[in-house]
Short mmCIF file of all heavy atoms in Angstrom, two decimals:
data_model
loop_
_atom_site.label_atom_id
_atom_site.label_comp_id
_atom_site.label_asym_id
_atom_site.label_seq_id
_atom_site.Cartn_x
_atom_site.Cartn_y
_atom_site.Cartn_z
N VAL A 313 15.55 -1.65 -7.60
CA VAL A 313 15.70 -2.80 -6.70
C VAL A 313 14.53 -2.88 -5.72
O VAL A 313 13.99 -3.96 -5.45
CB VAL A 313 17.04 -2.71 -5.94
CG1 VAL A 313 17.10 -3.76 -4.83
CG2 VAL A 313 18.21 -2.89 -6.90
N VAL A 314 14.14 -1.72 -5.21
CA VAL A 314 13.02 -1.69 -4.26
C VAL A 314 11.73 -2.12 -4.95
O VAL A 314 10.92 -2.87 -4.37
CB VAL A 314 12.87 -0.27 -3.66
CG1 VAL A 314 11.58 -0.18 -2.85
CG2 VAL A 314 14.06 0.05 -2.77
N VAL A 315 11.52 -1.68 -6.18
CA VAL A 315 10.32 -2.06 -6.93
C VAL A 315 10.28 -3.57 -7.14
O VAL A 315 9.26 -4.23 -6.92
CB VAL A 315 10.25 -1.32 -8.28
CG1 VAL A 315 9.12 -1.87 -9.13
CG2 VAL A 315 10.06 0.17 -8.06
N LEU A 316 11.42 -4.15 -7.56
CA LEU A 316 11.47 -5.60 -7.76
C LEU A 316 11.25 -6.34 -6.44
O LEU A 316 10.55 -7.35 -6.40
CB LEU A 316 12.83 -5.99 -8.35
CG LEU A 316 13.07 -5.63 -9.82
CD1 LEU A 316 14.49 -6.00 -10.23
CD2 LEU A 316 12.07 -6.34 -10.72
N GLY A 317 11.85 -5.83 -5.37
CA GLY A 317 11.66 -6.44 -4.07
C GLY A 317 10.21 -6.40 -3.63
O GLY A 317 9.69 -7.38 -3.06
N ALA A 318 9.52 -5.29 -3.93
CA ALA A 318 8.10 -5.17 -3.57
C ALA A 318 7.26 -6.18 -4.34
O ALA A 318 6.36 -6.81 -3.77
CB ALA A 318 7.61 -3.76 -3.85
N VAL A 319 7.56 -6.36 -5.62
CA VAL A 319 6.81 -7.32 -6.43
C VAL A 319 7.06 -8.75 -5.94
O VAL A 319 6.13 -9.56 -5.82
CB VAL A 319 7.17 -7.18 -7.92
CG1 VAL A 319 6.50 -8.27 -8.74
CG2 VAL A 319 6.75 -5.81 -8.44
N MET A 320 8.32 -9.08 -5.64
CA MET A 320 8.63 -10.43 -5.14
C MET A 320 7.96 -10.67 -3.79
O MET A 320 7.51 -11.78 -3.50
CB MET A 320 10.14 -10.60 -5.04
CG MET A 320 10.82 -10.76 -6.40
SD MET A 320 12.55 -11.26 -6.30
CE MET A 320 13.31 -9.75 -5.67
N LEU A 321 7.90 -9.62 -2.95
CA LEU A 321 7.22 -9.74 -1.67
C LEU A 321 5.73 -10.01 -1.87
O LEU A 321 5.13 -10.83 -1.18
CB LEU A 321 7.41 -8.48 -0.84
CG LEU A 321 6.72 -8.42 0.53
CD1 LEU A 321 7.25 -9.53 1.43
CD2 LEU A 321 6.93 -7.06 1.18
N ASP A 322 5.14 -9.34 -2.86
CA ASP A 322 3.72 -9.56 -3.17
C ASP A 322 3.50 -11.00 -3.65
O ASP A 322 2.52 -11.64 -3.26
CB ASP A 322 3.26 -8.57 -4.23
CG ASP A 322 1.85 -8.86 -4.70
OD1 ASP A 322 0.94 -8.82 -3.85
OD2 ASP A 322 1.66 -9.14 -5.90
N ILE A 323 4.40 -11.51 -4.51
CA ILE A 323 4.28 -12.88 -4.99
C ILE A 323 4.38 -13.87 -3.82
O ILE A 323 3.62 -14.85 -3.74
CB ILE A 323 5.36 -13.18 -6.05
CG1 ILE A 323 5.11 -12.34 -7.31
CG2 ILE A 323 5.41 -14.66 -6.40
CD1 ILE A 323 6.23 -12.42 -8.32
N TYR A 324 5.31 -13.60 -2.91
CA TYR A 324 5.48 -14.47 -1.74
C TYR A 324 4.23 -14.45 -0.86
O TYR A 324 3.76 -15.50 -0.40
CB TYR A 324 6.70 -14.01 -0.93
CG TYR A 324 6.87 -14.73 0.38
CD1 TYR A 324 7.38 -16.03 0.43
CD2 TYR A 324 6.51 -14.12 1.59
CE1 TYR A 324 7.53 -16.69 1.64
CE2 TYR A 324 6.65 -14.77 2.79
CZ TYR A 324 7.17 -16.06 2.82
OH TYR A 324 7.31 -16.71 4.01
N ARG A 325 3.67 -13.23 -0.65
CA ARG A 325 2.46 -13.13 0.17
C ARG A 325 1.32 -13.90 -0.46
O ARG A 325 0.56 -14.60 0.22
CB ARG A 325 2.06 -11.65 0.33
CG ARG A 325 2.88 -10.89 1.34
CD ARG A 325 2.15 -9.61 1.71
NE ARG A 325 1.88 -8.78 0.55
CZ ARG A 325 2.51 -7.65 0.27
NH1 ARG A 325 3.47 -7.23 1.06
NH2 ARG A 325 2.18 -6.94 -0.79
N THR A 326 1.16 -13.75 -1.79
CA THR A 326 0.08 -14.44 -2.49
C THR A 326 0.25 -15.96 -2.40
O THR A 326 -0.70 -16.70 -2.18
CB THR A 326 0.04 -14.00 -3.96
OG1 THR A 326 -0.09 -12.58 -4.02
CG2 THR A 326 -1.13 -14.65 -4.69
N LYS A 327 1.49 -16.41 -2.57
CA LYS A 327 1.77 -17.85 -2.51
C LYS A 327 1.47 -18.41 -1.13
O LYS A 327 0.87 -19.47 -0.98
CB LYS A 327 3.24 -18.09 -2.88
CG LYS A 327 3.62 -19.56 -2.87
CD LYS A 327 5.09 -19.74 -3.23
CE LYS A 327 5.51 -21.20 -3.15
NZ LYS A 327 6.95 -21.38 -3.46
N LYS A 328 1.89 -17.67 -0.08
CA LYS A 328 1.67 -18.15 1.28
C LYS A 328 0.19 -18.17 1.64
O LYS A 328 -0.26 -19.03 2.39
CB LYS A 328 2.43 -17.26 2.28
CG LYS A 328 3.93 -17.35 2.18
CD LYS A 328 4.46 -18.73 2.52
CE LYS A 328 4.35 -19.03 4.00
NZ LYS A 328 4.93 -20.34 4.35
N SER A 329 -0.56 -17.20 1.08
CA SER A 329 -1.98 -17.14 1.41
C SER A 329 -2.80 -18.21 0.71
O SER A 329 -3.90 -18.55 1.15
CB SER A 329 -2.54 -15.76 1.06
OG SER A 329 -2.47 -15.54 -0.33
N THR A 330 -2.28 -18.75 -0.39
CA THR A 330 -3.04 -19.75 -1.16
C THR A 330 -2.56 -21.18 -0.93
O THR A 330 -3.26 -22.11 -1.31
CB THR A 330 -2.96 -19.44 -2.67
OG1 THR A 330 -1.58 -19.39 -3.07
CG2 THR A 330 -3.61 -18.10 -2.97
N GLU A 331 -1.38 -21.34 -0.35
CA GLU A 331 -0.87 -22.70 -0.18
C GLU A 331 -1.62 -23.43 0.92
O GLU A 331 -2.11 -22.84 1.89
CB GLU A 331 0.63 -22.69 0.11
CG GLU A 331 0.99 -22.17 1.48
CD GLU A 331 2.49 -22.20 1.73
OE1 GLU A 331 3.25 -22.50 0.79
OE2 GLU A 331 2.90 -21.92 2.87
N VAL A 332 -1.74 -24.75 0.77
CA VAL A 332 -2.42 -25.59 1.75
C VAL A 332 -1.36 -26.14 2.71
O VAL A 332 -0.40 -26.77 2.29
CB VAL A 332 -3.16 -26.75 1.07
CG1 VAL A 332 -3.81 -27.65 2.11
CG2 VAL A 332 -4.20 -26.21 0.10
N ARG A 333 -1.55 -25.86 3.96
CA ARG A 333 -0.59 -26.29 4.97
C ARG A 333 -1.17 -27.46 5.75
O ARG A 333 -2.26 -27.37 6.32
CB ARG A 333 -0.29 -25.13 5.93
CG ARG A 333 0.73 -25.49 7.00
CD ARG A 333 0.85 -24.35 8.00
NE ARG A 333 1.68 -24.73 9.13
CZ ARG A 333 1.69 -24.09 10.29
NH1 ARG A 333 0.91 -23.04 10.45
NH2 ARG A 333 2.47 -24.48 11.27
N ILE A 334 -0.44 -28.59 5.76
CA ILE A 334 -0.85 -29.77 6.51
C ILE A 334 -0.21 -29.72 7.89
O ILE A 334 1.02 -29.74 8.02
CB ILE A 334 -0.45 -31.07 5.77
CG1 ILE A 334 -1.09 -31.09 4.38
CG2 ILE A 334 -0.85 -32.29 6.57
CD1 ILE A 334 -0.65 -32.26 3.53
N LEU A 335 -1.05 -29.63 8.90
CA LEU A 335 -0.55 -29.51 10.27
C LEU A 335 -0.29 -30.89 10.86
O LEU A 335 -1.08 -31.81 10.67
CB LEU A 335 -1.56 -28.76 11.13
CG LEU A 335 -1.86 -27.30 10.75
CD1 LEU A 335 -2.92 -26.74 11.68
CD2 LEU A 335 -0.61 -26.46 10.79
N SER A 336 0.83 -30.98 11.56
CA SER A 336 1.12 -32.21 12.29
C SER A 336 0.30 -32.22 13.59
O SER A 336 -0.33 -31.23 13.95
CB SER A 336 2.61 -32.29 12.61
OG SER A 336 2.99 -31.22 13.47
N ALA A 337 0.35 -33.34 14.28
CA ALA A 337 -0.41 -33.45 15.53
C ALA A 337 0.07 -32.43 16.56
O ALA A 337 -0.73 -31.83 17.29
CB ALA A 337 -0.27 -34.87 16.10
N SER A 338 1.41 -32.20 16.61
CA SER A 338 1.94 -31.23 17.57
C SER A 338 1.50 -29.81 17.21
O SER A 338 1.18 -29.01 18.09
CB SER A 338 3.47 -31.32 17.59
OG SER A 338 4.02 -31.02 16.32
N ASP A 339 1.48 -29.49 15.90
CA ASP A 339 1.05 -28.16 15.48
C ASP A 339 -0.42 -27.92 15.80
O ASP A 339 -0.80 -26.84 16.26
CB ASP A 339 1.29 -27.97 13.98
CG ASP A 339 2.77 -27.89 13.64
OD1 ASP A 339 3.55 -27.42 14.50
OD2 ASP A 339 3.15 -28.30 12.53
N ARG A 340 -1.25 -28.94 15.54
CA ARG A 340 -2.67 -28.79 15.84
C ARG A 340 -2.90 -28.60 17.34
O ARG A 340 -3.70 -27.77 17.77
CB ARG A 340 -3.44 -30.02 15.35
CG ARG A 340 -3.64 -30.08 13.85
CD ARG A 340 -4.73 -31.09 13.49
NE ARG A 340 -4.40 -32.43 13.96
CZ ARG A 340 -3.69 -33.32 13.26
NH1 ARG A 340 -3.24 -33.01 12.07
NH2 ARG A 340 -3.44 -34.51 13.76
N TYR A 341 -2.17 -29.39 18.14
CA TYR A 341 -2.30 -29.26 19.60
C TYR A 341 -1.89 -27.86 20.06
O TYR A 341 -2.60 -27.24 20.86
CB TYR A 341 -1.43 -30.32 20.29
CG TYR A 341 -1.31 -30.11 21.78
CD1 TYR A 341 -2.35 -30.48 22.63
CD2 TYR A 341 -0.18 -29.53 22.33
CE1 TYR A 341 -2.25 -30.28 24.01
CE2 TYR A 341 -0.07 -29.33 23.69
CZ TYR A 341 -1.11 -29.70 24.52
OH TYR A 341 -1.01 -29.47 25.87
N ARG A 342 -0.78 -27.37 19.52
CA ARG A 342 -0.29 -26.05 19.95
C ARG A 342 -1.28 -24.94 19.57
O ARG A 342 -1.54 -24.04 20.37
CB ARG A 342 1.07 -25.78 19.32
CG ARG A 342 1.72 -24.50 19.81
CD ARG A 342 3.07 -24.31 19.19
NE ARG A 342 3.72 -23.13 19.73
CZ ARG A 342 4.89 -22.67 19.32
NH1 ARG A 342 5.55 -23.31 18.36
NH2 ARG A 342 5.43 -21.60 19.86
N GLU A 343 -1.83 -25.00 18.37
CA GLU A 343 -2.74 -23.94 17.93
C GLU A 343 -4.05 -23.99 18.72
O GLU A 343 -4.62 -22.94 19.03
CB GLU A 343 -3.00 -24.06 16.43
CG GLU A 343 -1.77 -23.76 15.60
CD GLU A 343 -2.12 -23.31 14.19
OE1 GLU A 343 -3.32 -23.36 13.84
OE2 GLU A 343 -1.21 -22.90 13.47
N GLU A 344 -4.52 -25.20 19.04
CA GLU A 344 -5.72 -25.31 19.86
C GLU A 344 -5.48 -24.73 21.26
O GLU A 344 -6.35 -24.03 21.81
CB GLU A 344 -6.16 -26.77 19.97
CG GLU A 344 -6.75 -27.31 18.66
CD GLU A 344 -7.04 -28.80 18.74
OE1 GLU A 344 -6.83 -29.38 19.83
OE2 GLU A 344 -7.49 -29.37 17.72
N MET A 345 -4.32 -24.99 21.82
CA MET A 345 -3.99 -24.47 23.15
C MET A 345 -3.82 -22.94 23.10
O MET A 345 -4.23 -22.23 24.03
CB MET A 345 -2.72 -25.13 23.67
CG MET A 345 -2.88 -26.61 24.00
SD MET A 345 -4.06 -26.90 25.35
CE MET A 345 -3.15 -26.24 26.75
N MET A 346 -3.22 -22.44 22.03
CA MET A 346 -3.06 -20.99 21.89
C MET A 346 -4.43 -20.31 21.80
O MET A 346 -4.64 -19.22 22.36
CB MET A 346 -2.24 -20.66 20.64
CG MET A 346 -0.77 -21.05 20.74
SD MET A 346 0.12 -20.12 22.00
CE MET A 346 0.13 -18.49 21.29
N LEU A 347 -5.36 -20.95 21.11
CA LEU A 347 -6.71 -20.40 21.02
C LEU A 347 -7.37 -20.38 22.40
O LEU A 347 -8.01 -19.39 22.78
CB LEU A 347 -7.53 -21.23 20.04
CG LEU A 347 -9.00 -20.82 19.88
CD1 LEU A 347 -9.11 -19.40 19.34
CD2 LEU A 347 -9.74 -21.79 18.97
N ARG A 348 -7.22 -21.47 23.15
CA ARG A 348 -7.80 -21.53 24.49
C ARG A 348 -7.18 -20.49 25.41
O ARG A 348 -7.87 -19.86 26.22
CB ARG A 348 -7.64 -22.93 25.07
CG ARG A 348 -8.50 -23.99 24.37
CD ARG A 348 -8.14 -25.39 24.82
NE ARG A 348 -8.34 -25.57 26.27
CZ ARG A 348 -7.99 -26.66 26.95
NH1 ARG A 348 -7.41 -27.67 26.30
NH2 ARG A 348 -8.20 -26.74 28.23
N LEU A 349 -5.87 -20.28 25.27
CA LEU A 349 -5.19 -19.26 26.08
C LEU A 349 -5.69 -17.86 25.73
O LEU A 349 -5.90 -17.02 26.62
CB LEU A 349 -3.68 -19.34 25.87
CG LEU A 349 -2.95 -20.49 26.58
CD1 LEU A 349 -1.50 -20.59 26.11
CD2 LEU A 349 -3.00 -20.29 28.09
N SER A 350 -5.88 -17.59 24.44
CA SER A 350 -6.38 -16.27 24.05
C SER A 350 -7.79 -16.04 24.57
O SER A 350 -8.15 -14.93 24.97
CB SER A 350 -6.35 -16.13 22.53
OG SER A 350 -7.24 -17.03 21.90
N GLN A 351 -8.61 -17.11 24.61
CA GLN A 351 -9.97 -16.99 25.15
C GLN A 351 -9.93 -16.73 26.65
O GLN A 351 -10.72 -15.93 27.18
CB GLN A 351 -10.76 -18.27 24.85
CG GLN A 351 -11.08 -18.46 23.37
CD GLN A 351 -11.67 -19.82 23.07
OE1 GLN A 351 -11.60 -20.74 23.89
NE2 GLN A 351 -12.27 -19.96 21.88
N LEU A 352 -8.98 -17.38 27.34
CA LEU A 352 -8.85 -17.15 28.78
C LEU A 352 -8.37 -15.73 29.08
O LEU A 352 -8.83 -15.10 30.04
CB LEU A 352 -7.87 -18.17 29.39
CG LEU A 352 -8.43 -19.55 29.74
CD1 LEU A 352 -7.33 -20.46 30.22
CD2 LEU A 352 -9.53 -19.42 30.80
N LYS A 353 -7.47 -15.21 28.24
CA LYS A 353 -7.00 -13.84 28.43
C LYS A 353 -8.13 -12.84 28.24
O LYS A 353 -8.25 -11.85 28.98
CB LYS A 353 -5.86 -13.52 27.45
CG LYS A 353 -4.56 -14.22 27.80
CD LYS A 353 -3.48 -13.88 26.78
CE LYS A 353 -2.18 -14.61 27.10
NZ LYS A 353 -1.13 -14.32 26.08
N ALA A 354 -8.98 -13.11 27.25
CA ALA A 354 -10.15 -12.24 27.04
C ALA A 354 -11.10 -12.33 28.23
O ALA A 354 -11.68 -11.32 28.67
CB ALA A 354 -10.86 -12.63 25.76
N GLU A 355 -11.25 -13.55 28.77
CA GLU A 355 -12.10 -13.73 29.94
C GLU A 355 -11.53 -13.01 31.15
O GLU A 355 -12.26 -12.41 31.95
CB GLU A 355 -12.24 -15.23 30.23
CG GLU A 355 -13.18 -15.56 31.38
CD GLU A 355 -13.26 -17.05 31.65
OE1 GLU A 355 -12.91 -17.84 30.73
OE2 GLU A 355 -13.67 -17.43 32.76
N GLU A 356 -10.18 -13.02 31.28
CA GLU A 356 -9.53 -12.33 32.40
C GLU A 356 -9.76 -10.83 32.31
O GLU A 356 -9.99 -10.15 33.32
CB GLU A 356 -8.03 -12.63 32.38
CG GLU A 356 -7.26 -11.92 33.48
CD GLU A 356 -5.77 -11.95 33.24
OE1 GLU A 356 -5.32 -12.58 32.26
OE2 GLU A 356 -5.03 -11.33 34.02
N ALA A 357 -9.68 -10.29 31.09
CA ALA A 357 -9.84 -8.84 30.92
C ALA A 357 -11.22 -8.37 31.36
O ALA A 357 -11.36 -7.25 31.87
CB ALA A 357 -9.60 -8.45 29.46
N GLY A 358 -12.25 -9.22 31.17
CA GLY A 358 -13.60 -8.81 31.55
C GLY A 358 -14.06 -9.33 32.89
O GLY A 358 -15.21 -9.08 33.28
N ALA A 359 -13.19 -10.04 33.61
CA ALA A 359 -13.59 -10.63 34.90
C ALA A 359 -13.45 -9.63 36.03
O ALA A 359 -12.75 -8.61 35.92
CB ALA A 359 -12.75 -11.88 35.18
N GLN A 360 -14.10 -9.92 37.14
CA GLN A 360 -13.97 -9.10 38.33
C GLN A 360 -12.62 -9.37 38.99
O GLN A 360 -11.99 -10.39 38.77
CB GLN A 360 -15.11 -9.41 39.30
CG GLN A 360 -16.50 -9.08 38.74
CD GLN A 360 -17.61 -9.44 39.70
OE1 GLN A 360 -17.37 -10.01 40.78
NE2 GLN A 360 -18.85 -9.11 39.32
N GLU A 361 -12.21 -8.42 39.86
CA GLU A 361 -10.88 -8.50 40.44
C GLU A 361 -10.67 -9.77 41.26
O GLU A 361 -9.59 -10.34 41.26
CB GLU A 361 -10.63 -7.26 41.32
CG GLU A 361 -10.47 -5.97 40.56
CD GLU A 361 -9.24 -5.99 39.64
OE1 GLU A 361 -8.26 -6.66 39.98
OE2 GLU A 361 -9.29 -5.34 38.58
N ASP A 362 -11.69 -10.23 41.98
CA ASP A 362 -11.52 -11.41 42.83
C ASP A 362 -11.38 -12.70 42.03
O ASP A 362 -10.95 -13.73 42.55
CB ASP A 362 -12.71 -11.53 43.80
CG ASP A 362 -14.04 -11.57 43.06
OD1 ASP A 362 -14.07 -11.17 41.88
OD2 ASP A 362 -15.03 -12.01 43.66
N LYS A 363 -11.75 -12.69 40.74
CA LYS A 363 -11.65 -13.88 39.90
C LYS A 363 -10.44 -13.87 38.98
O LYS A 363 -10.10 -14.90 38.39
CB LYS A 363 -12.93 -14.03 39.06
CG LYS A 363 -14.18 -14.27 39.88
CD LYS A 363 -15.39 -14.46 38.99
CE LYS A 363 -16.65 -14.73 39.81
NZ LYS A 363 -17.84 -14.92 38.96
N LYS A 364 -9.81 -12.70 38.84
CA LYS A 364 -8.69 -12.58 37.90
C LYS A 364 -7.50 -13.45 38.31
O LYS A 364 -6.83 -14.04 37.48
CB LYS A 364 -8.26 -11.13 37.78
CG LYS A 364 -9.19 -10.28 36.92
CD LYS A 364 -8.61 -8.91 36.67
CE LYS A 364 -9.52 -8.12 35.73
NZ LYS A 364 -8.97 -6.78 35.42
N GLU A 365 -7.23 -13.52 39.62
CA GLU A 365 -6.07 -14.29 40.08
C GLU A 365 -6.24 -15.76 39.75
O GLU A 365 -5.27 -16.43 39.33
CB GLU A 365 -5.90 -14.09 41.59
CG GLU A 365 -4.63 -14.70 42.17
CD GLU A 365 -3.38 -14.09 41.55
OE1 GLU A 365 -3.39 -12.87 41.25
OE2 GLU A 365 -2.39 -14.83 41.35
N ALA A 366 -7.43 -16.29 39.90
CA ALA A 366 -7.68 -17.69 39.58
C ALA A 366 -7.49 -17.96 38.09
O ALA A 366 -6.93 -18.99 37.69
CB ALA A 366 -9.09 -18.08 40.01
N ILE A 367 -7.92 -17.01 37.27
CA ILE A 367 -7.77 -17.18 35.82
C ILE A 367 -6.29 -17.12 35.43
O ILE A 367 -5.82 -17.89 34.58
CB ILE A 367 -8.58 -16.09 35.07
CG1 ILE A 367 -10.08 -16.26 35.36
CG2 ILE A 367 -8.33 -16.17 33.57
CD1 ILE A 367 -10.95 -15.17 34.77
N ARG A 368 -5.52 -16.21 36.08
CA ARG A 368 -4.08 -16.13 35.80
C ARG A 368 -3.38 -17.43 36.16
O ARG A 368 -2.51 -17.91 35.43
CB ARG A 368 -3.46 -14.96 36.59
CG ARG A 368 -3.88 -13.58 36.12
CD ARG A 368 -2.99 -12.51 36.70
NE ARG A 368 -3.55 -11.19 36.52
CZ ARG A 368 -4.18 -10.50 37.45
NH1 ARG A 368 -4.32 -11.02 38.68
NH2 ARG A 368 -4.66 -9.29 37.20
N THR A 369 -3.75 -18.00 37.30
CA THR A 369 -3.15 -19.29 37.71
C THR A 369 -3.46 -20.38 36.69
O THR A 369 -2.61 -21.20 36.34
CB THR A 369 -3.68 -19.69 39.09
OG1 THR A 369 -3.42 -18.64 40.03
CG2 THR A 369 -3.03 -20.98 39.56
#
Side-chain angles (χ1 to χ4, degrees):
V313 170
V314 171
V315 171
L316 287 176
V319 174
M320 287 190 289
L321 178 62
D322 174 61
I323 293 172
Y324 173 77
R325 282 197 303 252
T326 304
K327 181 181 177 182
K328 293 296 288 184
S329 64
T330 56
E331 70 179 7
V332 178
R333 181 187 172 197
I334 301 175
L335 297 178
S336 63
S338 61
D339 291 330
R340 285 196 301 272
Y341 170 78
R342 186 179 184 184
E343 293 204 353
E344 288 174 3
M345 291 296 290
M346 291 295 292
L347 178 62
R348 291 171 60 186
L349 284 171
S350 65
Q351 291 171 345
L352 277 176
K353 288 179 181 178
E355 184 181 339
E356 178 194 357
Q360 297 178 355
E361 290 297 329
D362 56 342
K363 296 182 179 180
K364 284 188 176 182
E365 187 61 36
I367 296 175
R368 291 194 193 101
T369 304

